[in-house]
Amino acid sequence: MQHSENHLRTRPISVGQLRAFEAVARHLNFRAAADDLSLTQSAVSRQIQALEDEVGVGLFLRHTRAVELTSAGAQLLRAVLPSLERMDSAVRLIRRSAGRKSVAISTWASFASMWLIPRLEAFQSEHPDIDIRIDATDVSVDLDTTDIDLALRYTLPSSVPSNAVRLFGEQLTPVASPWLLKSGPPLKRGEDLAHFALIEASDAHRTLHLEWLTWRRWLDEHDFKKLEPKRWLYFNYAHQIVQAALTGQGVALARTPQVADSLASGDLVEVLPGMRLDSPLAYWLIVSPRSVARPETRAFCDWLMAQAALTRQATGEALS
């Protein structure tokens, strides 16, 4: 496949070939890439072959049951991914400006499912002409290069830009289902936690500031350094932790904004309400400078701030 330098082609690469290349590189499977692109597998194979002819080197190692990127393929992928993302974002912006009003929000999955989505119906009732798009990802998006209008982030105050608006802070508190409390041993003091399974995030110990969210820190702060629970139960995401607590699988160390609704409804009980632990992390709103003046963005931000005020009130945080 390798051509001499004098014979390398110089004409631009077809975008269709790059789409096929990105799909195969993402799936490492021609059939899956073909399904993703709504093409036949042979059509995708021809596009990849044509792209390799244009570039002059092989981009994939084709094994019997697997596909692997070559070093040249990996180099090309690093350039193709951001280019395609920016092109897609530009197209979405063009379509949106010519059509319906919409607001695109970037946030992480647990916050979207536990706090934002349950409240969205109220906004949609007030603004039926505004479409909402939620991109749930744990990766912070660049508001300067994407078509995202605003981002909701969870981080330290020192890690947000100057235009970020604080929505609310949080405290950590042990919560459990009423069913567990009725059917299990008494839970009236911190020492009683030794008779229960304790639920927490499995990856909190890997990130410095997320260590604030661990049971071990809570236990140490309340002078239960030697306490060991009946067992540990770990999950990757906050909504999984709360779901496990809701189904009576143990006691979760929960973030107050994310369980305020469950506490209000009685689905969860704050078992040791006088032993909350302050967290250094907070929830923030960051608006893209490109979108800040759009009426639909302003409407959503105003609604969001009103919802944040209700959450501060529900969790006992002083209103600012």
Side-chain angles (χ1 to χ4, degrees):
M1 176 65 66
Q2 184 77 43
H3 299 321
S4 68
E5 184 175 352
N6 293 335
H7 291 89
L8 289 178
R9 300 189 179 186
T10 59
R11 65 188 181 190
I13 300 298
S14 167
V15 173
Q17 294 172 359
L18 294 179
R19 289 280 187 199
F21 168 73
E22 186 276 334
V24 175
R26 176 158 38 90
H27 294 287
L28 293 178
N29 183 285
F30 278 84
R31 183 183 298 277
D35 292 341
D36 195 2
L37 298 171
S38 298
L39 296 172
T40 64
Q41 185 174 341
S42 60
V44 172
S45 296
R46 288 195 298 272
Q47 287 188 325
I48 296 300
Q49 184 63 57
L51 178 61
E52 289 177 325
D53 289 342
E54 290 288 351
V55 174
V57 296
L59 302 174
F60 294 99
L61 297 175
R62 295 158 174 82
H63 305 297
T64 303
R65 295 183 178 275
V67 176
E68 180 184 355
L69 277 169
T70 64
S71 59
Q75 182 180 358
L76 181 60
L77 182 63
R78 287 193 293 270
V80 166
L81 276 178
S83 300
L84 289 178
E85 288 173 356
R86 290 186 180 184
M87 182 176 64
D88 290 341
S89 294
V91 171
R92 284 195 294 265
L93 281 171
I94 293 169
R95 287 172 175 169
R96 185 173 64 191
S97 63
R100 293 174 57 87
K101 293 184 291 184
S102 66
V103 179
I105 304 125
S106 172
T107 187
W108 65 106
S110 291
F111 188 72
S113 62
M114 297 175 65
W115 191 89
L116 182 58
I117 293 174
R119 291 166 169 77
L120 268 183
E121 184 179 358
F123 177 82
Q124 293 175 326
S125 297
E126 296 175 17
H127 304 277
D129 59 330
I130 299 178
D131 297 334
I132 299 296
R133 190 183 95 231
I134 297 177
D135 287 352
T137 175
D138 291 336
V139 179
S140 295
V141 299
D142 186 349
L143 296 181
D144 292 328
T145 60
T146 66
D147 63 337
I148 297 297
D149 297 304
L150 57 94
L152 302 174
R153 292 180 181 164
Y154 172 67
T155 189
L156 297 167
S158 59
S159 300
V160 295
S162 58
N163 66 325
V165 178
R166 187 180 185 275
L167 296 175
F168 38 78
E170 69 177 8
Q171 292 179 307
L172 304 174
T173 189
V175 300
S177 73
W179 174 83
L180 178 66
L181 298 177
K182 290 179 182 178
S183 61
L187 179 46
K188 299 183 181 300
R189 304 176 304 159
E191 294 90 336
D192 297 333
L193 290 168
H195 304 297
F196 293 85
L198 298 186
I199 311 168
E200 71 173 13
S202 60
D203 57 352
H205 300 276
R206 303 174 192 168
T207 306
L208 180 60
H209 66 266
L210 292 184
E211 288 186 0
W212 283 86
L213 310 180
T214 63
W215 266 113
R216 184 49 57 193
R217 182 176 182 83
W218 186 94
L219 293 169
D220 288 349
E221 288 289 329
H222 292 292
D223 202 24
F224 300 122
K225 294 181 172 62
K226 296 182 179 180
L227 187 145
E228 289 296 332
K230 181 179 179 181
R231 63 178 174 273
W232 292 99
L233 189 55
Y234 299 101
F235 293 98
N236 287 343
Y237 297 103
H239 65 272
Q240 296 171 338
I241 292 173
V242 173
Q243 185 62 36
L246 285 167
T247 54
Q249 298 182 46
V251 183
L253 188 61
R255 309 172 196 178
T256 48
Q258 297 187 356
V259 296
D261 294 342
S262 296
L263 293 174
S265 67
D267 293 332
L268 287 175
V269 176
E270 188 174 6
V271 295
L272 299 167
M275 303 178 72
R276 290 186 177 187
L277 182 64
D278 289 332
S279 166
L281 302 160
Y283 300 74
W284 305 86
L285 165 64
I286 307 170
V287 183
S288 168
R290 182 191 62 254
S291 304
V292 68
R294 292 172 50 221
E296 54 267 41
T297 303
R298 292 202 304 270
F300 190 85
C301 289
D302 290 344
W303 171 83
L304 195 68
M305 294 303 298
Q307 294 297 314
L310 293 175
T311 295
R312 293 196 300 271
Q313 184 178 17
T315 59
E317 183 177 347
L319 299 181
S320 56

